[in-house]
Amino acid sequence: MSNKNFALIGASGYIAPRHMRAIKDTGNELVAALDPYDGIGIIDSYFPQASFFTEFERFDRFVDKYRRDTGKKIDYISICSPNYLHDSHIRFALRNGADAICEKPLVLNPWNIDQLKIIEKESGQKIYNILQLRLHPSIIALKERVAKELAENPDKIYDIDLTYLTSRGKWYFISWKGDMEKSGGVASNIGVHFYDMLCWIFGDVEENIVHLKTPDANAGFFKLKNATVRWFLSVNYDYIPDDIKATGQRTYRSITVDGEEMEFSGGFTDLHTRSYEEILKGNGFGLEEAYGSISTVSTIRNLEPIGMKGDYHPFCKRVLGK
């Protein structure tokens, strides 16, 4: 396989170094990067020779000129920009003859995917979504176990609790991530890949209820084809259990399946590289794989919370003080 040329949009963001590392680890080249913020020294660790732009118009000109002047092209454009810009940047990639590799959430609404399918077909290019949990060894093992059990008992319904708290400071709510219109809110920001993983293993969402929705916490209930799920997501440090705080940790992640804690705290460091390896082999996750989780978070965003009624996650009491 010949080396591929990459460009990167959103190069100064939190997740961008994982993409830089993945490009390097797979033996490919980053030729251009874009970000309005110019504090991009991390690029020296990966691709110091890459052209860097803070203005989209100059980046656009470079991508076009690169193809015309060198007889080469940008093969892939990796997108790490704010969520609400993903749709536009994916379109830019396809118009320039590149495949798009986009961070989650791919877009904010399912109808955006419907339009991207049309553009993908017109351009002949591909759109890939980073859904790295599908490549995590523990998640793959769980899927294989569940598939075996469901083959023996197709009507089995699993009982699942998903709890994910990842502390964020005051900056979070000043940034685009704290703006519902730009990020999609907590569920889109930190929950979308967990929803994707659960639906991948246990089937599509058949019922979607929101119990709690605040700027820093969301909670609700899913009925999947083969599971019921109580979920709680937050960026508020105060809601982390005291025993976890005592260890100095600012993140708490827990998934229980029929009361059994599932361990997958490790194994995340190379999942972007694994994602790129699969994409380069033509096995990446495309628009169809992204559709379910995007539809789920879009629905959550538009549902009215019903409060502490029905089968709600116990962490709701931490927020509502009951």
Side-chain angles (χ1 to χ4, degrees):
M1 184 188 299
S2 60
N3 289 356
K4 301 296 184 182
N5 292 319
F6 282 76
L8 176 62
I9 300 176
S12 297
Y14 164 79
I15 205 67
R18 297 189 194 180
H19 287 259
M20 294 180 197
R21 177 185 167 188
I23 295 167
K24 190 174 184 68
D25 286 351
T26 52
N28 296 296
E29 188 68 28
L30 181 68
V31 298
L34 166 70
D35 200 290
Y37 177 65
D38 61 7
I40 187 59
I42 186 66
I43 201 170
D44 287 343
S45 300
Y46 298 99
F47 298 101
Q49 300 306 316
S51 297
F52 177 69
F53 302 88
T54 59
E55 296 171 281
F56 181 82
E57 292 78 8
R58 292 185 175 186
F59 175 75
D60 180 10
R61 182 175 64 188
F62 175 91
V63 170
D64 184 61
K65 192 169 182 288
Y66 184 85
R67 171 171 56 89
R68 296 176 189 279
D69 286 359
T70 65
K72 298 179 182 178
K73 58 172 283 193
I74 306 294
D75 298 292
Y76 295 90
I77 295 181
S78 299
I79 298 164
C80 306
S81 51
N83 300 348
Y84 73 109
L85 297 176
H86 287 178
D87 182 73
S88 176
H89 291 157
I90 290 168
R91 293 163 183 261
F92 169 81
L94 271 57
R95 285 198 304 270
N96 280 278
D99 290 346
I101 301 175
C102 188
E103 263 300 331
K104 55 81 184 169
L106 184 74
V107 287
L108 293 181
N109 297 292
W111 51 86
N112 300 131
I113 294 180
D114 295 333
Q115 290 300 309
L116 288 177
K117 286 179 181 178
I118 297 171
I119 299 167
E120 191 180 55
K121 185 175 181 180
E122 288 175 349
S123 67
Q125 303 301 137
K126 287 287 293 177
I127 301 166
Y128 298 102
N129 197 191
I130 298 292
L131 298 172
Q132 69 268 37
L133 285 183
R134 295 193 186 203
L135 300 175
H136 193 291
S138 296
I139 304 299
I140 292 171
L142 175 64
K143 181 173 174 61
E144 291 172 349
R145 189 191 99 192
V146 168
K148 183 177 179 181
E149 292 172 352
L150 290 177
E152 298 172 357
N153 181 10
D155 297 325
K156 180 175 174 59
I157 302 295
Y158 294 82
D159 182 38
I160 298 170
D161 275 10
L162 163 64
T163 314
Y164 182 48
L165 297 96
T166 180
S167 304
R168 297 290 184 263
K170 293 180 180 179
W171 68 268
Y172 181 92
F173 300 98
I174 302 301
S175 77
W176 64 267
K177 294 188 177 187
D179 184 335
M180 176 74 77
E181 294 298 317
K182 293 182 177 180
S183 71
V186 170
S188 294
N189 263 340
I190 69 172
V192 65
H193 54 315
F194 290 108
Y195 302 150
D196 171 74
M197 177 266 287
L198 290 171
C199 293
W200 183 53
I201 298 173
F202 298 101
D204 293 337
V205 174
E206 297 179 351
E207 185 178 10
N208 191 342
I209 296 170
V210 174
H211 292 111
L212 170 73
K213 193 187 296 182
T214 68
D216 61 13
N218 284 186
F221 171 88
F222 296 138
K223 184 180 185 301
L224 308 181
K225 181 181 179 182
N226 290 107
T228 57
V229 182
R230 297 186 301 178
W231 57 269
F232 181 91
L233 307 169
S234 180
V235 294
N236 191 330
Y237 175 76
D238 292 342
Y239 303 145
I240 291 179
D242 290 339
D243 58 328
I244 303 299
K245 290 179 182 176
T247 67
Q249 295 185 55
R250 295 182 56 83
T251 297
Y252 176 67
R253 177 172 46 231
S254 172
I255 295 181
T256 62
V257 179
D258 289 343
E260 178 185 346
E261 182 82 24
M262 186 183 150
E263 173 53 43
F264 69 116
S265 56
F268 283 88
T269 54
D270 67 343
L271 290 183
H272 276 73
T273 295
R274 288 277 296 110
S275 298
Y276 271 63
E277 289 170 349
E278 292 302 316
I279 288 167
L280 288 162
K281 290 189 291 187
N283 299 329
F285 302 118
L287 295 177
E288 288 299 329
E289 286 88 353
Y291 199 94
S293 59
I294 298 304
S295 179
T296 298
V297 295
S298 179
T299 299
I300 289 170
R301 195 178 314 126
N302 291 290
L303 283 174
E304 288 295 324
I306 66 170
M308 292 169 61
K309 300 175 185 177
D311 196 7
Y312 60 86
H313 194 290
F315 272 49
C316 290
K317 295 179 180 179
R318 295 171 182 259
V319 181
L320 300 175
K322 296 182 179 180

